[in-house]
Amino acid sequence: HAFSRSPSMRMIMASSESKGKLLVLGGTGFVGSQVCRVAVQRGFDVTAMSRRGVNPSPGDQDLEQVSYVVGDATDAPTVDKLVADADAVVHAVGLLFDVDSGLKQLNLIVSGSRSTPGEASTYDRITR
């Protein structure tokens, strides 16, 4: 696995003997969903929080075992409640490069492509 090379993924894999509750903030994004998948395969009870709060790959056997929660990572009471019920937390929240996010100006700094979204580029329609 390409992700097994990262220190955080090695830690998850190494601790697979003791199952626990894992919270993945940003669990529906590209990186977060991979963390969820590997954690489920290792026997963790996984909760993924994101603004969408839905499985990004319906029908995926591993991701169907994740509990999805709608939430905003900047909302401290929501995050505090979820963290209190978790044994471990992975922060996989990434920037959202759409016109509704208020962050589109950061594309020039963060994106290697130097692309900027147009007015029709909304959260549900943008590609990365």
Side-chain angles (χ1 to χ4, degrees):
H1 293 114
F3 292 101
S4 64
R5 294 185 188 119
S6 74
S8 58
M9 290 310 296
R10 282 197 303 267
M11 183 179 74
I12 288 174
M13 291 177 184
S15 64
S16 65
E17 299 84 35
S18 60
K19 298 176 184 176
K21 294 180 181 179
L22 178 66
L23 170 62
V24 181
L25 301 174
T28 61
F30 179 76
V31 173
S33 63
Q34 296 302 315
V35 171
C36 290
R37 181 177 285 115
V38 171
V40 165
Q41 291 169 354
R42 302 296 186 250
F44 286 87
D45 178 22
V46 180
T47 298
M49 187 198 78
S50 68
R51 292 193 295 170
R52 286 187 185 181
V54 296
N55 183 344
S57 299
D60 181 290
Q61 184 177 3
D62 296 320
L63 295 181
E64 290 290 339
Q65 297 178 57
V66 174
S67 297
Y68 293 94
V69 176
V70 174
D72 185 331
T74 64
D75 178 34
T78 299
V79 173
D80 288 346
K81 181 179 175 185
L82 292 169
V83 167
D85 193 42
D87 298 313
V89 179
V90 173
H91 185 285
V93 175
L95 289 176
L96 181 61
F97 303 123
D98 78 345
V99 295
D100 296 329
S101 69
L103 300 173
K104 75 177 188 173
Q105 71 280 5
L106 295 177
N107 280 317
L108 294 175
I109 299 166
V110 179
S111 173
S113 69
R114 297 186 143 301
S115 62
T116 55
E119 291 306 313
S121 300
T122 62
Y123 184 72
D124 293 324
R125 299 175 65 197
I126 197 161
T127 58
R128 299 175 194 231

